[in-house]
Each structure stands twice: as structure tokens, then as C-alpha cells.
């Protein structure tokens, strides 16, 4: 069966984009690897790429904490902010 991937859109929460891939298989592999953090994970389609997004945070501070933890593991994630925040 085909994987259903939603188009990236403006969310109402802060999240982190950890990486983006042209190959869905690579995005899914990273998604499985990051599950140990215990935060929501999602692969979304953006500009022909598959972005791995992580978290659903009410505040930027919470997103910054996870970003620092991921940075210690060698990932340079960036924060996606909800509109107007």
C-alpha cells in the first residue's frame, strides 16, 4: 500500500524539522530511529521533499530544549513556529 503523506502546512504548535530527504525510505528510517525520544513524529511532504518533523509543543522553550538534546546527538534541527507566534 502507498504511504499517505500530508503536505506540510501551518500547524498550531511548535515543532522541529530534523531533516529532509528526497527518498521517503530515508525519512521513514530516521523517523524510526528518533522514536526513542518519545515525542510525536511525522513525515510531511514539502517542496518535493520528505521532511521529518518532531514534537507538538505549546511553547518555543519546550522546542528549544528538544533542539538542544538533538544537537548533542549531531542533528541541526530548526524550529517551525505556528503563525503569529
Amino acid at each position: 500500500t502507498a504511504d499517505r503523506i500530508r503536505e506540510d502546512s501551518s500547524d498550531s504548535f511548535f515543532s522541529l524539522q530534523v531533516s529532509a530527504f528526497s527518498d521517503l525510505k530515508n525519512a521513514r528510517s530516521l523517523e524510526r530511529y528518533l522514536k526513542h525520544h518519545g515525542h510525536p513524529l511525522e513525515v510531511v511532504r514539502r517542496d518535493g521533499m520528505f521532511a521529518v518533523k518532531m514534537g507538538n509543543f505549546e511553547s518555543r522553550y519546550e522546542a528549544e530544549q528538544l533542539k538542544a538534546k538533538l544537537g548533542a546527538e549531531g542533528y541541526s534541527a530548526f524550529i517551525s513556529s505556528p503563525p503569529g507566534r
Side-chain angles (χ1 to χ4, degrees):
T1 65
D3 249 331
R4 294 195 186 268
I5 306 291
R6 77 173 176 92
E7 291 293 326
D8 195 19
S9 60
S10 296
D11 295 321
S12 55
F13 297 96
F14 291 91
S15 64
L16 298 177
Q17 179 176 317
V18 183
S19 194
F21 300 92
S22 58
D23 184 346
L24 177 59
K25 185 177 176 181
N26 292 335
R28 289 291 188 209
S29 179
L30 179 61
E31 179 186 38
R32 281 189 302 277
Y33 177 77
L34 293 172
K35 282 187 187 235
H36 74 275
H37 284 282
H39 293 282
L41 281 155
E42 182 177 26
V43 175
V44 295
R45 189 184 320 268
R46 180 188 298 139
D47 301 325
M49 301 286 286
F50 298 100
V52 179
K53 294 182 78 174
M54 187 174 191
N56 234 357
F57 303 105
E58 289 285 335
S59 73
R60 183 173 196 87
Y61 176 75
E62 292 173 291
E64 291 284 355
Q65 287 183 309
L66 180 56
K67 181 180 176 185
K69 189 181 289 187
L70 291 171
E73 293 182 20
Y75 295 101
S76 57
F78 70 87
I79 297 175
S80 296
S81 301
R85 292 179 71 189

